[in-house]
Amino acid sequence: MKILLVLSFITCYSLSSFAQDEVISISQKSDVYNYHVLENKPLFGNTSKKEDSEKAFKEFIQNQIDSLDLNQGNKTFVSFEIAKDGSIQNAKVLVGENENFNKAVVDLVTKSPKWKPATKNNEAVKSSYLAEYGNQILDPSLI
């Protein structure tokens, strides 16, 4: 059931990003821009293209998982924010079956190198990001 809810959330989140406002208001002090609607997306490492950045970050985290021997048939979906200074904030697991794996992935994501932040009107902005890690198809009983 959790998987179905998360997949529904991901679908609605992606679709709504094209149909509605581009700012997700988290609080009065902080605006988080949806990754999918930003023209100048955040970039990881020395990449200059969205696709290369996504691939580089996924490979970076996956290599860390592999080096720690954590990837024993686990999978997790993680959301986080990329701050104006490029640091990772508010990382959390949306769904995952193995608590130890989930905690390790959140820790790896949070401690990852800084990103080049997204920009809007030539100013750095905070943006949201969603990723999946691991190599297992999630248990169908969770759907």
Side-chain angles (χ1 to χ4, degrees):
M1 186 63 172
K2 277 185 179 179
I3 302 299
L4 184 57
L5 289 173
V6 168
L7 293 176
S8 296
F9 169 76
I10 293 168
T11 302
C12 291
Y13 182 73
S14 295
L15 292 175
S16 68
S17 67
F18 297 106
Q20 296 181 1
D21 295 332
E22 57 191 56
V23 177
I24 304 168
S25 185
I26 300 296
S27 71
Q28 292 179 333
K29 293 190 286 186
S30 164
D31 289 326
V32 180
Y33 286 81
N34 184 317
Y35 174 85
H36 297 288
V37 300
L38 284 165
E39 192 169 318
N40 298 310
K41 299 185 183 326
L43 299 171
F44 180 73
N46 295 323
T47 60
S48 59
K49 294 181 184 174
K50 171 188 85 110
E51 296 81 11
D52 295 340
S53 177
E54 291 171 352
K55 182 179 178 185
F57 188 65
K58 185 163 185 147
E59 286 176 358
F60 172 81
I61 296 297
Q62 193 63 51
N63 288 339
Q64 298 296 315
I65 290 169
D66 293 344
S67 72
L68 296 173
D69 198 27
L70 294 171
N71 208 11
Q72 302 165 358
N74 297 300
K75 179 167 255 174
T76 189
F77 288 86
V78 178
S79 70
F80 55 92
E81 297 167 353
I82 301 159
K84 291 179 183 182
D85 69 357
S87 63
I88 302 295
Q89 299 177 339
N90 301 320
K92 60 184 171 189
V93 171
L94 299 177
V95 68
E97 295 177 6
N98 182 310
E99 194 63 34
N100 290 331
F101 183 74
N102 295 346
K103 287 179 184 177
V105 170
V106 166
D107 190 48
L108 290 171
V109 167
T110 302
K111 292 179 179 176
S112 68
K114 286 188 174 186
W115 292 54
K116 177 181 173 190
T119 59
K120 184 167 176 67
N121 300 326
N122 294 320
E123 283 192 43
V125 294
K126 187 184 248 189
S127 59
S128 63
Y129 197 88
L130 178 67
E132 67 176 291
Y133 301 102
N135 64 0
Q136 173 191 358
I137 297 173
L138 291 170
D139 183 352
S141 68
L142 295 176
I143 298 175

